[in-house]
């Protein structure tokens, strides 16, 4: 396989200059590699007048592992096309795409450097006034407009074909829905949590519900998902929100994206109880997180309902009763997928800083144990909450 | 668009000779056009020694309508590839494919002329001893082996892409799930049934459940369906069964294929009550139909359960509890889709000879009315039957 990796800083700079249209002719440009990318190579190219762009390049393997874990380079085409789909409806909420280069497997896009990684912002207890509304709008608009509730049946099926993404889906299929439910070598388990993990591996009713959610993930081609919508894929600041990295995009169940966000907010909620700071400070931030969850869901579901009312042309699917039933099922699905995200971030391969930055293993185990209990209950009882307020009351009581 | 239609009998004969390998060199061949095909051109080419083949050609429009209803010629590639998929697991139950010609949009296949169209056989009250078992095996084997319960995740997604079939799916989406539920110009309604049709158009709870089934048809990419598995797509005789015409094949919900067969057997059941013959004869054949329904479902579900037990490698999906829950959901789904087939064959565009051959409109209306009532109840109560015997008892009582 050809290795298209940039061979020098000068090559990266030339590529950025030729393919962005944002730099002044003759400007002096610099480049830095941004270490955040685990899977890809990511560069920032900047001019001395403050202009900058991001270049993301996908090689035929996972960057932090090397050639031992090959990964289809088609992921960068999918990311570029997903960014374009998202930008069609939420241009303010995604980085602008300047160029996709199929030969170099690289994209050139807007530098959103003024925004902070949401996971770090949440750990630092930053209150982001626009977050709930903007994430609600992002999910409602991107998911509705790529579903059969909006698209013409031909166009929808054509898009399903363009976004078949087996390599990246397989990562989710394994890491979310299998590894944490058995003693898998990829797991990463706090030794103090071992008894709870062993109990979970024997929990057949839970494994049945996780199997159902996995089967929906495999078969339910509802809408073009972001597919990896955790706090690390969201960048935010007081002025706004940007959602990045849609390389896991594929047609899947709407509740998976919504649930990923809910699950990540609840992971931070559980972490806050054990992170440094006064009890009052931590508790107040937990309140803000729960308000954000309510605001996110209420924006999402209100907007999705309006979009169905105004834009769903299929006469079978624009019945008022169907809208109501669709959104009730979607809440249940989202709560279930949130539960799987919470469990896999506690027992599985990829943990989150919301919990990992609790230094004391005993304290961390307390937070992890709460996450496991909440996650399990959310999966098992996902059809019984009925409202986001009932979920929030349940979280407060547990 | 190029018209690839054969211009003469000689051309058809030469095509059959060159692409089947079954005729003796120098044999004299004849050709006849078979009138059964509504959508395509179908020819039988035969030799004087009794050897024969079928040629099916797809033009860029629907044959019985003409150029006013264009239809993607990709359907013949899909039919050829679906026949190959089916033959991999049920070689005895499908016609053998000799050749697919992408330039002529034509396939050459085995002549199954010794078999009779199942719809005609049922109307004539033929008892087919192998039918239930063979249809159960056909559906179990073709559907299981193209699902995530069997295929590797990469292969499954690759096949989903190959079988994206928007033109043919759109026909089903409209004719099954919308037309019959409104006063649509395409509908074909016995005037004596008008009041019942009008009541059905106002039946919001029914329309909600039909919307749910439609949405599953649109989004649930479970397995490679035949997609048009009514009695006219099955040919049968005492010695065996052949399933033909999979041009509607796409990845959809397993219950749609199973339900199409159930619905067609029940359409004949309702027709028998009004078709000519003694009461005893008709009633005995109705008993045979219900036994066939039980035998079909029991073969299908027993075999599907065994296949899951023996061949499902995905450890999340081979839990005994998951198998049980999967098959329970599948029965509900199948009963629901059977109900939509029954309603659309009564009020929609395409009626069936099981009812149309009842000459007296009053008697026909009695049968049609029973079909509507059964179909509605099966859709509304699909999750409540729990066993095929409960469905059969319900049919007997109504």
């Amino acid at each position: 396989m050809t290795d298209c990796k940039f061979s020098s800083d000068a090559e990266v700079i030339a590529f950025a200059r030729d393919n962005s249209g944002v730099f002044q002719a003759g400007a002096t440009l610099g480049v830095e590699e941004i270490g955040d990318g685990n899977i890809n190579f990511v560069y920032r190219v900047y001019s001395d007048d403050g202009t900058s762009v991001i270049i993301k390049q996908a090689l035929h393997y996972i960057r932090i592992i090397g050639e031992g874990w090959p990964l289809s380079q088609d992921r960068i085409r999918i990311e570029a096309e997903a960014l374009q789909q998202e930008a069609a409806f939420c241009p303010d909420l995604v980085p602008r795409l300047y160029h996709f280069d199929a030969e170099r497997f690289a994209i050139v896009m807007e530098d959103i450097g003024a925004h902070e990684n949401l996971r770090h912002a949440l750990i630092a207890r930053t209150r982001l006034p626009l977050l709930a509304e903007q994430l609600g709008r992002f999910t409602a608009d991107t998911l509705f407009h790529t579903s059969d509730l909006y698209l013409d049946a031909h166009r929808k099926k054509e898009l399903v074909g363009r976004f078949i993404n087996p390599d990246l889906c397989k990562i989710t299929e394994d890491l979310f829905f299998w590894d944490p439910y058995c003693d898998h070598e990829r797991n990463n388990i706090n030794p103090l949590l071992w008894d709870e993990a062993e109990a979970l591996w024997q929990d057949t009713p839970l494994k049945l519900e996780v199997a159902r959610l996995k089967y929906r993930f495999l078969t339910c081609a509802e809408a073009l998902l972001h597919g990896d919508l955790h706090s690390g894929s969201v960048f935010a600041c007081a002025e706004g929100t940007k959602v990045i990295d849609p390389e896991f995009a594929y047609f899947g169940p709407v509740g998976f994206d919504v649930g990923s966000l809910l699950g990540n907010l609840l992971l931070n909620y559980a972490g806050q109880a054990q992170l440094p700071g006064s009890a009052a400070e931590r508790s107040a931030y937990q309140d803000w997180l729960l308000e954000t969850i309510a605001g996110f869901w209420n924006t999402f579901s209100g907007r999705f309902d309006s979009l169905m009312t105004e834009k769903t042309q299929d006469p079978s699917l624009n019945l008022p009763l169907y809208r109501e039933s669709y959104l009730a099922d979607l809440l249940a699905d989202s709560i279930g997928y949130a539960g799987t995200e919470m469990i896999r971030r506690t027992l599985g391969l990829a943990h989150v800083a919301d919990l990992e930055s609790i230094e004391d293993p005993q304290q961390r185990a307390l937070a992890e144990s709460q996450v496991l209990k909440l996650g399990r209950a959310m999966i098992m009882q996902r059809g019984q909450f009925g409202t986001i307020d009932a979920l929030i009351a349940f979280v407060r009581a547990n």
Side-chain angles (χ1 to χ4, degrees), chain A:
Chain A
M1 193 169 297
T2 318
D3 196 340
C4 55
K5 191 171 181 324
F6 294 111
S7 60
S8 66
D9 285 0
E11 210 176 52
V12 180
I13 288 172
F15 187 78
R17 197 191 290 278
D18 293 349
N19 295 299
S20 63
V22 305
F23 296 111
Q24 299 284 341
T28 305
L29 303 187
V31 61
E32 57 180 342
E33 194 181 335
I34 300 181
D36 279 2
N38 290 331
I39 296 184
N40 305 298
F41 288 84
V42 183
Y43 307 92
R44 179 170 174 272
V45 176
Y46 53 90
S47 152
D48 43 14
D49 68 1
T51 310
S52 58
V53 300
I54 297 295
I55 293 179
K56 183 169 181 177
Q57 187 181 42
L59 300 190
H60 61 279
Y61 52 84
I62 293 186
R63 175 174 171 270
I64 53 164
I65 296 178
E67 309 223 0
W69 190 331
L71 199 64
S72 163
Q73 290 177 287
D74 192 38
R75 67 188 188 272
I76 195 81
R77 174 192 65 79
I78 284 181
E79 175 160 348
E81 293 193 13
L83 280 172
Q84 288 172 307
Q85 288 291 325
E86 293 165 352
F89 299 101
C90 304
D92 58 324
L93 302 180
V94 291
R96 190 167 156 201
L97 179 75
Y98 297 123
H99 179 66
F100 163 59
D101 195 302
E103 280 162 33
R104 291 230 71 145
F105 298 97
I107 57 184
V108 186
M109 62 184 160
E110 180 186 0
D111 181 9
I112 54 158
H115 298 70
E116 186 186 7
N117 181 308
L118 177 61
R119 196 178 301 288
H120 302 158
L122 296 177
I123 293 168
R125 302 200 184 110
T126 314
R127 285 159 206 247
L128 296 154
L130 303 178
L131 185 73
E133 188 277 329
Q134 293 191 334
L135 289 179
R137 181 158 59 84
F138 176 81
T139 43
D141 276 59
T142 58
L143 296 166
F144 174 80
H145 288 107
T146 55
S147 76
D148 284 293
L149 301 168
Y150 175 70
L151 290 174
D152 160 75
H154 280 75
R155 174 69 177 149
K156 156 82 186 312
K157 291 173 182 72
E158 180 199 329
L159 284 178
V160 168
R162 290 198 69 78
F163 285 96
I164 286 178
N165 195 358
D167 269 23
L168 285 284
C169 283
K170 184 79 172 93
I171 295 175
T172 305
E173 288 155 21
D174 292 342
L175 296 191
F176 268 71
F177 299 112
W178 179 242
D179 292 7
Y181 302 95
C182 68
D183 185 9
H184 200 285
E185 61 183 8
R186 278 191 296 248
N187 285 339
N188 171 8
I189 301 173
N190 182 340
L192 295 167
L193 220 68
W194 194 258
D195 287 352
E196 290 184 53
E198 284 195 321
L200 190 140
W201 299 335
Q202 303 304 320
D203 188 341
T204 310
L206 176 65
K207 289 163 91 163
L208 170 64
E209 295 308 319
V210 172
R212 286 197 171 118
L213 289 164
K214 177 174 188 175
Y215 196 67
R216 276 183 70 73
F217 184 85
L218 286 163
T219 59
C220 180
E222 266 197 291
L224 180 61
L225 307 191
H226 178 284
D228 192 29
L229 203 43
H230 59 81
S231 306
S233 295
V234 177
F235 276 64
C237 60
E239 289 71 37
T241 311
K242 300 280 181 188
V243 178
I244 65 165
D245 284 355
E247 67 199 325
F248 283 73
Y250 87 112
F251 274 77
V254 166
F256 185 77
D257 265 7
V258 176
S260 296
L261 285 172
L262 290 178
N264 275 271
L265 290 167
L266 288 172
L267 282 160
N268 189 266
Y269 174 91
Q272 289 297 345
Q274 307 300 332
L275 284 165
S278 74
E281 194 187 326
R282 293 179 287 153
S283 159
Y285 196 69
Q286 286 186 315
D287 288 345
W288 181 82
L289 286 166
L290 296 183
E291 282 160 27
T292 300
I293 285 176
F296 161 61
W297 172 262
N298 291 331
T299 303
F300 168 78
S301 59
R303 180 138 180 90
F304 208 95
D305 187 65
S306 301
L307 289 167
M308 284 180 82
T309 307
E310 289 158 23
K311 292 192 172 181
T312 297
Q313 297 296 316
D314 185 322
S316 322
L317 306 180
N318 70 5
L319 290 174
L321 260 184
Y322 183 70
R323 282 203 297 282
E324 209 176 290
S325 122
Y326 182 87
L327 285 165
D329 290 349
L330 182 49
L331 177 63
D333 236 29
S334 304
I335 292 173
Y337 283 118
T340 63
E341 167 72 350
M342 291 160 74
I343 291 176
R344 75 112 175 176
R345 294 296 196 177
T346 313
L347 303 181
L349 171 68
H351 284 221
V352 288
D354 316 64
L355 299 174
E356 291 301 299
S357 55
I358 303 166
E359 287 181 15
D360 180 281
Q362 304 256 10
Q363 281 186 283
R364 192 166 68 245
L366 286 174
E368 289 173 332
S369 175
Q370 190 192 10
V371 168
L372 284 187
K373 286 194 186 71
L374 274 178
R376 181 187 190 282
M378 287 166 62
I379 292 169
M380 296 304 293
Q381 300 164 40
R382 64 192 186 280
Q384 293 156 38
F385 292 102
T387 64
I388 198 72
D389 291 341
L391 173 67
I392 289 170
F394 182 83
V395 171
R396 281 195 189 281
N398 287 271

